[in-house]
Amino acid sequence: MSSCTEAPSAADTPDVTMSLKTSAEPQRNIPQLVRTLYMGSPDDVPRIMYDLCKLSVNGAETVEQLVASGALPASVGALAPHQPPLVIQKAAALLYNLLSQEQYVEAAFALGAGAALVRILQHGPLCAKRNAAAAVYALATDADCTNRLVSLGAVHVLVGVLVTGPADALQNASAALYRMAYTPGLAWAIASAGAPTALIAVLNGAVEEAKQHAAAALFALSADVDIAASIIDGGGVEALVRILSNPTPPVAEAAGETLCYLLREPNLAARVVDRGVVPALVALLRSGSETEKRLATTAMASLAASEEGAAVVAAGGVPLLIQALLHGAAAMQEHAAAALCNLACTFGPRRNFVDAGALPALMHAMANGTDVSRENATAALRHITLETDLGVAAADAGALPHVIRALTCGVAAVEEEAAGVLYNLACESFRLGPRLIAAGALGALGALLAAPRHMDATKDLAAGAVLSLAAAPALRPTVFDSGLLPLVAAVASRRPRGRALAHIEVLCAEEHARRHFLVSAGRDFSALTYEVESLRAENAALRRAHVDAAQAVGEPSAVHDVRFDLADGTRIGASRLLLCAGSEYYRAALGERPAPDCGEESGDCTRAARAGDAAGSGGSGGGFSMREAACGVIAADPEFSADAYRALLRQLHARGFDALPESPGLLLELHRLARKLSPGPAPALEPAAGDVAPAPGGGDIVSQLAERCEAAMTAAVDVDNCIDLLLHARAVPGAERLADFAAAYVRTHLARVTATPRWRSFCAAHPAEALELMTSTAVALDEEIRQGTKRKRGRISRPW
């Protein structure tokens, strides 16, 4: 939740209202200043501590000098109960400023800073609690530090500060609880200490500065459904709705995002609606500021995706959403379009949407909106045109040019929805068919059917639209003569239960239509099918030949001219010709014929060595001597096993057609080896006579093997092995896409992943990476709520 992650600033953390006589300028000799703090008069301590606070806000370099001079133990020592309240206050402020550099957090814990701050929050002077809460916020940098604070009782004392004050400490205490609530496994510990009730009281209170962090803390806690239900029952919805109109935008946005998050589950949405949230949102959308309208639209989009969307329709929200779609900013248009799409899908009658003016608004979004707005607006129009009369009304309103343009706009999601709209309209071919053809529908449908990038579902809709137009006898010759029937037949053959095939069966019920279709489409498609089948048979024979070549990898014999010597004594024979044809790395190392006498460096042998050195300098690193390579003997990299090399050589012999290893461990090792031997930025060498060139169009088999391994690993990923896949991918150079996929999988399934034993060991061994995953999950969730899309969480798009 990016808008609520602002830490208490270093500039305003020290209490500027305190009355303390200070020098006009802080001293510049930091070591002398800290030394005086230890050895000077007690009367000088308040002034020196104040000067150190002023210095500590000057950036990382000054903080480093302060810590090097002993300011960190001095600040922790000054938190002792016997110190004057003003000294404790300034010491807590100094500690917070020093901890702005996270590398000093462990040292602060070792000095006892956590226990001292908890003591101040519980029994210390009131003037010091604000800064002590800020310092606790700074200490909660990761899961380990947060758990240590919890074990010291920090949650209970922070909740106590929220309940009893002082008022100026509420902001920092709320911020500390917000940061701690994002630590896996601590939500219930924080909730059981009474945090939800105390945070709701802050929202209802008079301290405006604390409300943003309080709403953010409730957002974090409501990730647990049971805690979210307790927040709703404890009056959290009313408090959040009340501050949606807060004049400070970050406060209002934090409340809006938390409210949307509470609407994510159907049973939660019903309880929120029962609290009267819909009339409040409608009122904000009718007469609120731009920020309030945007937040209300976002919340309505979340409601419309649940079973409580009927409440939005009943409260008069549809006309207001239409106005937001027409006149709102880009973000508001996206949310309004998503809300109208979901409402038109489920909560009819759809005639009411048309009567309220939805058609002009949807066409406006299709013509001028963002990609998200266009997708949701086109999807809403698709739901509306499911009713025949409303399809005619849409055509009368001028929707046909917008739909046809959307059909070839280049955005796959928009094109799919536009194909759905056109299919709905084409089903009324007797009334709308001539208008669709006159508007250029056949040309747009042909372009979509011929484009290779589209999914079969989109093409099935387009093929169904073509055949629906052909259902009108007057239009049939035009459709048949358009040349689209072979493309339609191809779609029908791939989707035996699709719309296209169903329409063909209906269409071909008439003898004349069946004869015309079969003559026009069958001739072309049969020729195409025969050609495809011939290619398939040829490819199958070639594949079998390649797989047979993989069987030649084994013990060195007379048929082998390259031998691999493994670290464990294993020897593997292979073909120089096939290795060079499939791998740029081995082509550079073995491209020359071996010299007659490998005991001396002849010109040929020296050139082969230079080729191998060039390949090795590119980052691949086979770990063998190039003189040995020129003689046909390769000392394999001892980092890899014989099984990994055997699998690699089989792939090179089979030109990549051999099956991948079934063992997950061997698959990971093969992937690492393939990435290591993939082509790097090595200097190009001029081929000499006798050098072996790769097969035409074959590419580098090793690089393709690495991608095949990654595709197999992504297909087999689950909550139990995704952490291991992430660590493996991050350790292998060149596997960035695999690492991104694994990280996205962990974020998407974080609740299930964190429940596995592997997650606990991962947090212990890699705390920084675990924190990064939690943080990126929160940011992604925040973005998902901001967009207000019409769908639930989508699938991770795999990189292959």
Side-chain angles (χ1 to χ4, degrees):
M1 195 166 174
S2 58
S3 62
C4 300
T5 56
E6 292 291 329
S9 67
D12 64 10
T13 296
D15 191 344
V16 296
T17 62
M18 55 177 281
S19 58
L20 178 64
K21 295 181 181 180
T22 64
S23 59
E25 288 291 335
Q27 299 181 35
R28 296 301 178 186
N29 190 336
I30 292 177
Q32 180 63 33
L33 198 62
V34 176
R35 193 178 306 113
T36 306
L37 184 64
Y38 279 107
M39 304 175 61
S41 169
D43 296 336
D44 295 333
V45 172
R47 175 185 57 79
I48 296 173
M49 194 65 70
Y50 183 78
D51 286 347
L52 291 174
C53 285
K54 291 183 68 176
L55 284 170
S56 63
V57 299
N58 290 336
E61 184 176 350
T62 304
V63 169
E64 184 177 351
Q65 295 178 19
L66 285 166
V67 174
S69 300
L72 185 59
S75 62
V76 175
L79 298 176
H82 66 272
Q83 294 287 355
L86 293 180
V87 172
I88 297 176
Q89 178 190 27
K90 290 292 115 184
L94 175 60
L95 180 60
Y96 167 73
N97 294 339
L98 296 178
L99 294 179
S100 63
Q101 306 300 312
E102 293 186 2
Q103 64 266 33
Y104 303 127
V105 169
E106 285 296 331
F109 269 112
L111 292 168
L117 292 170
V118 169
R119 184 179 62 249
I120 292 170
L121 289 172
Q122 188 171 16
H123 303 297
L126 294 179
C127 64
K129 290 190 176 184
R130 177 183 182 226
N131 295 337
V136 170
Y137 173 94
L139 282 176
T141 54
D142 57 33
D144 181 59
C145 294
T146 303
N147 279 297
R148 279 191 273 181
L149 287 171
V150 172
S151 66
L152 292 170
V155 172
H156 290 276
V157 297
L158 288 170
V159 172
V161 170
L162 294 182
V163 173
T164 62
D168 65 350
L170 297 186
Q171 177 185 7
N172 294 345
S174 300
L177 284 174
Y178 156 67
R179 174 174 273 191
M180 297 170 75
Y182 271 104
T183 303
L186 287 186
W188 268 106
I190 296 173
S192 61
T197 303
L199 292 167
I200 293 171
V202 172
L203 294 181
N204 291 324
V207 183
E208 296 296 323
E209 296 81 2
K211 292 182 178 181
Q212 176 186 359
H213 295 299
L218 289 175
F219 180 97
L221 291 173
S222 58
D224 185 284
V225 176
D226 293 331
I227 298 176
S230 69
I231 292 172
I232 295 171
D233 295 339
V237 173
E238 294 86 342
L240 292 168
V241 170
R242 193 177 302 112
I243 63 173
L244 280 177
S245 57
N246 193 288
T248 306
V251 177
E253 290 177 3
E257 291 168 0
T258 305
L259 187 61
C260 290
Y261 196 32
L262 291 174
L263 294 169
R264 72 191 186 279
E265 294 285 343
N267 58 331
L268 294 179
R271 300 170 81 160
V272 172
V273 170
D274 291 342
R275 296 283 175 173
V277 70
V278 176
L281 294 175
V282 170
L284 287 177
L285 192 55
R286 179 179 291 112
S287 57
S289 65
E290 286 301 309
T291 299
E292 293 166 358
K293 288 182 178 180
R294 177 174 60 80
L295 294 171
T297 307
T298 305
M300 284 190 176
S302 298
L303 270 175
S306 70
E307 296 179 358
E308 304 304 317
V312 176
V313 177
V318 171
L320 297 174
L321 290 169
I322 291 172
Q323 291 304 309
L325 187 59
L326 279 171
H327 307 296
M332 190 186 301
Q333 284 185 344
E334 292 177 358
H335 299 150
L340 289 172
C341 171
N342 289 320
L343 293 174
C345 175
T346 310
F347 305 102
R350 298 184 178 98
R351 167 62 66 178
N352 294 343
F353 291 84
V354 175
D355 294 341
L359 292 177
L362 294 174
M363 288 186 288
H364 171 76
M366 292 171 66
N368 306 299
T370 65
D371 288 349
V372 175
S373 298
R374 291 158 62 196
E375 178 190 355
N376 288 329
T378 310
L381 186 61
R382 180 180 178 181
H383 294 312
I384 289 174
T385 55
L386 284 171
E387 298 184 16
T388 303
D389 292 341
L390 299 185
V392 176
D396 293 339
L400 295 186
H402 296 283
V403 175
I404 291 173
R405 279 197 298 271
L407 199 63
T408 55
C409 68
V411 181
V414 178
E415 290 175 343
E416 180 182 353
E417 300 298 347
V421 176
L422 205 55
Y423 173 77
N424 293 341
L425 297 176
C427 287
E428 188 60 23
S429 58
F430 290 90
R431 283 195 288 177
L432 295 179
R435 297 168 65 177
L436 287 170
I437 292 176
L442 288 177
L445 289 169
L448 189 148
L449 287 169
R453 68 180 185 277
H454 290 292
M455 301 293 291
D456 283 347
T458 304
K459 290 188 175 184
D460 187 47
L461 288 167
V466 171
L467 295 174
S468 295
L469 290 173
L475 302 178
R476 197 167 296 153
T478 303
V479 175
F480 285 170
D481 294 339
S482 65
L484 298 182
L485 295 185
L487 298 173
V488 171
V491 172
S493 68
R494 291 196 302 268
R495 294 180 66 85
R497 298 183 180 179
R499 295 175 178 82
L501 190 59
H503 281 284
I504 288 174
E505 293 173 354
V506 174
L507 188 63
C508 292
E510 302 179 17
E511 181 65 27
H512 175 72
R514 179 168 61 252
R515 185 183 307 112
H516 200 144
F517 180 85
L518 293 176
V519 170
S520 301
R523 180 179 58 239
D524 295 335
F525 186 64
S526 296
L528 179 63
T529 302
Y530 176 77
E531 182 179 354
V532 169
E533 290 300 326
S534 299
L535 289 174
R536 285 178 178 171
E538 183 178 341
N539 288 337
L542 184 61
R543 183 188 184 100
R544 285 194 297 271
H546 285 314
V547 172
D548 290 341
Q551 305 300 325
V553 175
E555 289 292 328
S557 65
V559 301
H560 302 128
D561 50 7
V562 175
R563 190 185 78 211
F564 285 76
D565 289 350
L566 280 299
D568 61 358
T570 304
R571 293 184 173 186
I572 305 175
S575 166
R576 171 184 175 275
L577 178 68
L578 295 177
L579 294 187
C580 293
S583 168
E584 291 185 20
Y585 179 79
Y586 289 123
R587 188 159 58 251
L590 303 172
E592 289 290 328
R593 294 186 180 276
D597 183 6
C598 293
E600 296 180 8
E601 291 189 2
S602 65
D604 292 344
C605 191
T606 303
R607 184 179 184 276
R610 288 200 304 269
D613 291 341
S617 65
S620 301
F624 55 80
S625 162
M626 288 302 126
R627 181 182 298 182
E628 291 174 334
C631 299
V633 178
I634 297 177
D637 192 333
E639 183 181 349
F640 300 98
S641 67
D643 289 338
Y645 265 100
R646 191 174 291 107
L648 173 70
L649 297 177
R650 286 179 60 89
Q651 293 291 341
L652 289 173
H653 272 232
R655 300 291 291 159
F657 285 108
D658 197 37
L660 292 174
E662 296 182 359
S663 168
L666 182 55
L667 183 64
L668 292 175
E669 187 180 8
L670 178 61
H671 171 250
R672 189 159 53 90
L673 176 59
R675 278 297 176 199
K676 191 169 186 179
L677 297 182
S678 294
L685 294 173
E686 301 218 354
D691 279 353
V692 180
D700 187 80
I701 302 299
V702 177
S703 299
Q704 297 172 14
L705 174 61
E707 294 187 2
R708 286 179 58 206
C709 292
E710 292 174 4
M713 287 185 279
T714 60
V717 69
D718 55 33
V719 295
D720 294 316
N721 63 23
C722 58
I723 293 295
D724 294 315
L725 180 61
L726 175 62
L727 294 176
H728 166 81
R730 289 185 172 178
V732 175
E736 290 78 11
R737 290 189 304 167
L738 181 62
D740 292 342
F741 168 81
Y745 186 93
V746 173
R747 288 193 296 267
T748 306
H749 302 82
L750 193 61
R752 296 169 59 199
V753 172
T754 53
T756 63
R758 183 67 182 91
W759 173 262
R760 289 190 288 273
S761 60
F762 172 66
C763 290
H766 307 277
E769 294 189 7
L771 178 62
E772 181 270 329
L773 284 173
M774 297 299 297
T775 304
S776 59
T777 302
V779 172
L781 182 59
D782 173 47
E783 184 63 24
E784 178 184 335
I785 292 174
R786 285 179 182 276
Q787 288 183 358
T789 55
K790 66 183 177 65
R791 296 183 175 91
K792 293 184 179 180
R793 183 188 301 276
R795 296 170 295 178
I796 299 176
S797 89
R798 300 180 185 272
W800 301 272

